[in-house]
Amino acid sequence: MTVTVAFTTPEGPLVATVDRVLAAGYTGRTRHLVEAHIEELKALGIGVPPHIPMLFPIIPGLLSQSTVTQVLGLDTSPEVEFVVFRQGGRDYVTVGSDQTDSVMEAQNAAIAKNLCLKSIATEAWPLDALVDHWDRLELTLTCEGVVMQHGALEQMMTPAQLQEFVAGHDGPQHEGRMIFSGTMEMHGRCPRASVEMVITLHDPVLERSIVHRYRVEPMLEIFPPKG
């Protein structure tokens, strides 16, 4: 499946052709950060992954730049991530959210990752303009104005490390492939209701940010299972 995604960039409009989407996980740059994320997920009933770092294939049609994301049920969770893709031989980065079904994740993470839309911003930056200060970039997720995730990218694998890892397991062709980076520590859980998410990639050196706002709207089953 191939989809096209439009972005604004500092150099003008960009239309990316995407035929492969991967969500990485457990991508902390140190073992301590990875172990902390594993323990965080264990508390939610999610077991240790079969491989660290981990990769999950995502249906490209789940990419969304909408300001509204509908989900089934009340048990989904956002994860702010940087998103890397290559178009026309050049790498770009934007911000995204790996919204995931938390109940299914405890049973089958790969399926859980494909039960929700993957929100991405409408703006992207060329990666080559960020390499010399990449570690100083920051990711933030707020839920109804409350900061749930925040941290510098020095905590996570760099885009080059991420692409090298992906190439070793999904082939060397980065053109047309979009990679969600994995996430950082979550502080609390979002309310089980309709809520506004704001995901941000901030560059304190060039004093600019990519911001995407979207509302998560849960749909409830009409005839829920009994018992």
Side-chain angles (χ1 to χ4, degrees):
M1 182 180 191
T2 300
V3 300
T4 56
V5 190
F7 297 95
T8 59
T9 79
E11 300 168 1
L14 172 72
V15 177
T17 301
V18 180
D19 55 27
R20 183 78 170 151
V21 180
L22 295 174
Y26 308 93
T27 53
R29 204 176 293 185
T30 66
R31 187 68 186 185
H32 168 74
L33 291 171
V34 173
E35 292 290 348
H37 188 48
I38 289 174
E39 292 302 315
E40 179 185 3
L41 293 178
K42 277 184 179 179
L44 301 175
I46 300 166
V48 179
H51 191 280
I52 297 174
M54 189 64 184
L55 286 174
F56 302 95
I58 303 297
I59 299 167
L62 292 175
L63 294 174
S64 172
Q65 294 176 310
S66 175
T67 57
V68 176
T69 291
Q70 289 185 309
V71 296
L72 180 60
L74 302 174
D75 296 300
T76 71
S77 178
E79 293 181 349
V80 66
E81 312 194 359
F82 69 84
V83 181
V84 176
F85 62 96
R86 183 171 296 175
Q87 179 65 36
R90 194 177 188 187
D91 291 328
Y92 294 85
V93 65
T94 188
V95 67
S97 176
D98 179 13
Q99 192 86 20
T100 301
D101 187 290
S102 303
V103 173
M104 178 55 71
E105 191 170 10
Q107 303 173 47
N108 188 309
I111 292 175
K113 296 283 184 183
N114 283 276
L115 292 180
C116 301
L117 295 177
K118 303 301 179 192
S119 295
I120 55 173
T122 58
E123 183 179 358
W125 295 331
L127 190 58
D128 52 27
L130 306 169
V131 173
D132 63 348
H133 61 280
W134 176 262
D135 283 359
R136 296 184 61 184
L137 270 62
E138 301 169 345
L139 285 173
T140 304
L141 164 72
T142 65
C143 177
E144 288 297 307
V146 178
V147 176
M148 309 297 289
Q149 291 179 289
H150 176 75
L153 296 190
E154 64 181 0
Q155 302 179 35
M156 304 168 67
M157 293 172 69
T158 66
Q161 292 170 329
L162 191 61
Q163 288 176 322
E164 181 180 7
F165 168 63
V166 169
H169 296 274
D170 192 58
Q173 179 57 264
H174 288 299
E175 186 79 21
R177 179 165 53 198
M178 183 171 280
I179 308 169
F180 283 69
S181 67
T183 195
M184 52 187 59
E185 183 181 4
M186 176 78 75
H187 300 286
R189 309 302 292 178
C190 291
R192 291 158 54 92
S194 175
V195 290
E196 182 186 57
M197 307 290 185
V198 181
I199 51 176
T200 304
L201 176 63
H202 177 61
D203 182 344
V205 175
L206 299 181
E207 298 182 342
R208 59 182 181 172
S209 298
I210 297 177
V211 181
H212 182 62
R213 292 176 170 82
Y214 69 103
R215 178 161 289 277
V216 176
E217 294 188 348
M219 299 184 300
L220 300 181
E221 294 184 68
I222 297 174
F223 299 108
K226 296 180 178 180

